[in-house]
Amino acid sequence: VQLMESGGGSVPTGGSLRLSCAVSGYTYQTYCMAWFRQAPGKAREGVATIASNGTKSHSESVKGRFAISSDNARVSHDLQMDSLKPEDSGMYYCAAGPFALCAWCGKGYCPSERFLFWGQGVQVTVSS
């Protein structure tokens, strides 16, 4: 299984970025795909998830500004990020794991250690 992120970069406050996660080799019929982020000195935080049945969730800190989506073939999972703030800066990671994890993340508990596969991460920097 390989996950590869792309689309990171630097933008001013209020700007937009679109991150993409290309997935290959993931043969499970059901799954939870997620975007996490980690700022220096802080814990990894679940940002958004999309399950194999199409159910989506977003953390309170990004709700209304970020949107997760999936292509029809479900080989790419994107994160559209609008109205970016300096506190959104950090490394962003794509992750994949069991279907049940999406329900947990939707309730505010998103255990990164339960996700099985990870991308290498992309840097997002929002300047003030």
Side-chain angles (χ1 to χ4, degrees), residues 31-120:
Y31 57 80
C32 177
M33 294 289 177
W35 283 97
F36 285 81
R37 67 184 180 189
Q38 188 167 22
K42 294 189 176 181
R44 193 165 291 190
E45 172 193 14
V47 173
T49 64
I50 185 165
S52 47
N53 64 358
T55 302
K56 303 175 186 180
S57 71
H58 301 80
S59 68
E60 289 299 321
S61 62
V62 306
K63 197 169 289 185
R65 300 187 298 121
F66 290 14
I68 192 170
S69 63
S70 175
D71 69 350
N72 289 336
R74 296 179 181 173
V75 294
S76 177
H77 303 274
D78 293 353
L79 185 68
Q80 177 66 40
M81 305 187 296
D82 299 321
S83 302
L84 283 160
K85 306 174 182 180
E87 52 264 42
D88 293 320
S89 297
M91 286 293 291
Y92 281 70
Y93 299 90
C94 177
F99 176 82
L101 292 175
C102 274
W104 292 7
C105 293
K107 295 177 181 178
Y109 171 63
C110 207
S112 60
E113 67 276 10
R114 297 295 186 101
F115 283 82
L116 303 175
F117 306 103
W118 291 83
Q120 81 288 351

Side-chain angles (χ1 to χ4, degrees), residues 19-44:
L19 306 182
S20 291
C21 175
V23 182
S24 61
Y26 197 92
T27 59
Y28 298 93
Q29 292 298 310
T30 61
Y31 57 80
C32 177
M33 294 289 177
W35 283 97
F36 285 81
R37 67 184 180 189
Q38 188 167 22
K42 294 189 176 181
R44 193 165 291 190

